[in-house]
Each structure stands twice: as C-alpha cells, then as structure tokens.
Amino acid sequence: MTDTTARRVAAAAPSIAAASALAAGVRLHEIDLLRGLVIVLMALDHVRDYFHAGAFTFDPLDPDRTNAVLYATRWITHLCATAFVFVAGVSAFLQTAKGRQTPQLSGFLLSRGLWLVALEATVLSFGWSFAVPYPLFLQVIWAIGWSMVALAGLVWLPRAAVLALGIAIVAGHNLLDPLTPDRFGPLALAWTFLHEGGPLVLGDTPIGIVLYPVLPWIGVMAIGYGLGAVFLEPAPKRDRALLALSATMIALFILLRGLNLYGDPGPWTAQGDPVRGAMAFLDVQKYPPSLMYVLATLGISLGLMPLLARLRGPARGVLLGFGAVPFFFYVVHVYLVHALAIGANAALGREAGGMFNFFVNMIAAPERYLHLGFPLVGVYVAWIIVLALLYPACRWWGQVKRTRRDWWLSYL
C-alpha cells in the first residue's frame, strides 16, 4: 500500500465506522436530539393555538398587537418545520449507510410518503377539527409526505445533483410568487398544492386549506439528503461543517433581509422602537416558506446541533425519548392537546362547543371563541402537562421500535 493510499484509508476510517454503526442499527443521537427539541417546541405552538385567548383574535407576530414574550413563543416554533423536513432528507440518505440500495430506498420513500399524505387527509385532519365532515388541513405531514414522493425520484441522481437542485428550489422559488393559481386555468389546483397554498375549493364548496404547498419543502428535503454525508463524518469535522453552514445561512439572512433585496414577499420597515423593529425584521413568511424563513430557521437549527450533542443529564434523555419517535408524538399530541383544551374550558363552565369543528368555526363563527382561552402562563402550564403525559407513552413506543423488527414499524 502506498503512503497516499494509506492516508486516504485512514481519513475515510471514521466515516466508514459511522456507516458500519448505522448498518448495525445504531441511531445518530445528534439527529434525535434535534428532533426532540423541535417536537417539544412544536407542541408549545399547538398548545398556544388551542389554549391562548389571543390565538382566537390576532396574529402573535403582529408588532402592533403582540408583546415580546408572546412573539418569542410563536417565533421560536418556526424552527420546527424546516428542521423536521431537513432531517427527513438526512435520514433518507443515512438509509444508504444502513445498506439500502437505490431501488429499495426509492420504493420506501414513495410508499411512506403516500402513507403520510393519506394520514394527513384523514387521521390528522379529523384530529385538528373533531368533526364529521371535517375540512382537510394540509400542513407539515402533508409536505413531508409529498417531499418523500419527490425524493423517491431524486435519489436516482448523484447526491451532489440532489443538493444543487434543493438549493436552487429554496433560493429561487420566490421568483414564482407573482404567479397566482387563477393564471393556470384548469391547473389552478395543482399550483395551489405546489406553490401558492391557501383555501382548497371543490366546485364552489370550500373543503379545506393547504398551509404547506410542497415545492419549497421538496427543496429543503433535497438539501437534507444532499448534506447527509456530513453526518457520517467524525464529530469534530461534522460540527465544524454544521457551524460553518449555520453562520453562512444566518449571515445571508441578515444581509438580504437588511437590504430588502430578495427572498421574502413582505419587506420589513423600521418601527418606532428597537423591539418592534426586531419583530418586523424577523417576521418572515412561513406559508409558503420564503428563502428568508429557511435561511433563518434552518441556520439556527444547524447551529444548535453541535450544542445539543454536548447536552447531558435528564434533559438529554427527555429529548432523545421524544426525538426517537417523532411521528408517534405528532399524531398523539394533536388529539391530546385538542381534547385537553375542550376539557379545560368546559371545567370552568364555559360553553366549549365551538372547539368542535374548530377551524370552520374560527372562520364562520369567531364569536364562539371570545369567551375561551387562557393567558400565556396558562399556555405554558398546559404545555408542560402535555409533555409529561406524552413522555411515558413515547418511551414505551421507542422501546417497541428498538426491540421489534416488524416491517410496518418503519412507517410509524
């Protein structure tokens, strides 16, 4: 063996070791820790949706009506969607390190993606509403599902090509903002699904809403897949790469947002004081996610990963417990949060019938919510209760997934 060959083998050894560990069934705790953190934050956002009195009357990101604590409570949860979708792309790439060949991986992504889409349109849409018939409420699981379907095709390309395509979609999709569904004639619905989002109308009847149009999320998942090899590197090299990516994305966000050059349909303007000015600066579009939104939120999430890897003690165990079973947490928490909100209001003698068929009533009969809800401190108390109730269930389900190898467990 030549010296050059020996050096190459030595340099590749840590990545090979990481791939071998994955093939043996070892999970990457850094990914589960990030999942755990963002799913805990996501639960806070959904508890706020159902418990906070102000959630029924105004946007918590509106600088003219919010306060700093409420604004931060809402804004920090922006990290969730981009982190979930990005990590789903990383996890797809890591399946190759576990021995899945391209045909197997493509078939799995296609079937699991369609499964998630079906669950969003049935089990989850009902859980948000608690009514029959229920409106379709198509959000993050819908976006992840269709992004997996798209990635099922993209995995046949070289990884670098998938990464380049993902960057092009995320960076360029705001150029399509002037195109509205009415310009597409019979394909208007397809454009609503793909890029625009908004009300979902069949004939003249509204049947739901598309909160997560899928094109930009396909880009985020493709970036995750394209960067997946970073997570096979030894920890010091991986962490340096993640921190460099984080710093680059946040710097680009500050530059482009500060100059109002490009990347968000809502330019910011100076406000009367620094706090409100910061609120306006950070208030970027999530539905659909603008380039500014992705740069800010994914940039922060990537920077958090090396810090989370150093977390020790009970907090680490809690985040790993939640992060190992994110889909289980997601489905169960939708029903739990909604049911607890009904029960908490009813326990105080309030008429809580409007909490059934929730989103239809929010639009058609908002007066039914004027007497409902709790101050922000009540939201945090309810959030802690939800996490305490879910933790044992998540630990149990995680144990099931670790000890059994049934094929269908990979879909849950």
Side-chain angles (χ1 to χ4, degrees):
M1 181 184 296
T2 66
D3 290 344
T4 301
T5 302
R7 285 195 297 270
R8 288 176 179 173
V9 171
S15 296
I16 294 170
S20 299
L22 287 174
V26 175
R27 298 181 66 91
L28 286 182
H29 286 169
E30 294 80 7
I31 291 178
D32 282 343
L33 285 165
L34 180 62
R35 279 197 184 113
L37 175 64
V38 297
I39 209 162
V40 163
L41 293 176
M42 177 207 65
L44 173 61
D45 192 38
H46 296 155
V47 169
R48 182 195 56 80
D49 281 334
Y50 283 103
F51 276 83
H52 188 230
F56 309 127
T57 57
F58 67 92
D59 179 2
L61 298 180
D62 181 355
D64 294 325
R65 304 191 65 183
T66 192
N67 59 66
V69 177
L70 177 58
Y71 186 99
T73 299
R74 172 60 177 131
W75 198 93
I76 194 66
T77 65
H78 275 352
L79 303 182
C80 303
T82 45
F84 277 136
V85 179
F86 173 83
V87 166
V90 173
S91 298
F93 173 80
L94 294 180
Q95 292 293 317
T96 63
K98 294 181 179 181
R100 274 193 171 161
Q101 300 300 311
T102 299
Q104 296 172 302
L105 178 59
S106 179
F108 172 73
L109 290 169
L110 176 62
S111 58
R112 188 163 196 261
L114 292 175
W115 167 244
L116 293 179
V117 168
L119 287 179
E120 183 80 286
T122 53
V123 173
L124 289 166
S125 287
F126 172 78
W128 292 114
S129 184
F130 278 8
V132 177
Y134 55 83
L136 296 174
F137 194 52
L138 307 178
Q139 46 171 349
V140 68
I141 300 301
W142 162 269
I144 291 174
W146 283 118
S147 297
M148 284 184 172
V149 171
L151 191 60
L154 295 178
V155 296
W156 294 90
L157 300 175
R159 181 174 58 85
V162 178
L163 176 60
L165 181 60
I167 293 172
I169 291 172
V170 169
H173 81 90
N174 283 119
L175 296 172
L176 304 174
D177 289 347
L179 300 178
T180 54
D182 58 280
R183 300 182 62 172
F184 289 85
L187 297 178
L189 183 61
W191 191 245
T192 297
F193 283 145
L194 190 64
H195 183 267
E196 187 74 9
L200 188 58
V201 179
L202 186 61
D204 295 325
T205 304
I207 62 171
I209 186 169
V210 180
L211 277 181
Y212 282 66
V214 300
L215 177 62
W217 297 111
I218 291 171
V220 173
M221 188 174 288
I223 290 173
Y225 180 87
L227 293 176
V230 171
F231 294 86
L232 294 177
E233 298 291 349
K237 184 176 181 180
R238 179 200 64 216
D239 290 350
R240 286 194 299 270
L242 292 175
L243 289 172
L245 285 168
S246 171
T248 300
M249 295 178 79
I250 292 172
L252 279 173
F253 167 77
I254 293 172
L255 175 64
L256 294 175
R257 185 66 169 162
L259 298 175
N260 275 329
L261 288 177
Y262 169 76
D264 196 89
W268 75 286
T269 56
Q271 303 292 308
D273 62 79
V275 173
R276 291 176 61 200
M279 289 179 181
F281 188 85
L282 292 172
D283 186 14
V284 290
Q285 180 177 278
K286 180 180 180 180
Y287 307 109
S290 66
L291 170 62
M292 294 294 95
Y293 176 90
V294 175
L295 287 176
T297 58
L298 190 55
I300 292 172
S301 294
L302 293 177
L304 285 174
M305 292 189 79
L307 301 178
L308 289 170
R310 290 161 174 76
L311 187 65
R312 296 294 181 267
R316 180 181 178 90
V318 169
L319 293 185
L320 287 174
F322 287 139
V325 290
F327 185 64
F328 175 84
F329 182 109
Y330 190 94
V331 174
V332 176
H333 102 283
V334 169
Y335 283 79
L336 178 61
V337 171
H338 196 167
L340 287 177
I342 294 171
N345 282 284
L348 295 178
R350 300 168 176 173
E351 200 288 307
M355 300 293 285
F356 296 90
N357 211 7
F358 183 70
F359 292 103
V360 170
N361 285 326
M362 285 283 288
I363 297 170
E367 67 278 0
R368 301 187 71 177
Y369 297 97
L370 296 179
H371 63 289
L372 300 178
F374 302 85
L376 192 58
V377 65
V379 171
Y380 277 89
V381 170
W383 175 53
I384 292 170
I385 291 171
V386 166
L387 296 180
L389 292 173
L390 283 174
Y391 183 67
C394 288
R395 293 280 294 184
W396 165 76
W397 187 244
Q399 180 65 20
V400 170
K401 295 195 75 171
R402 283 191 297 272
T403 56
R404 295 179 56 174
R405 291 293 178 263
D406 307 72
W407 64 269
W408 52 270
L409 288 173
S410 61
Y411 288 81
L412 299 174

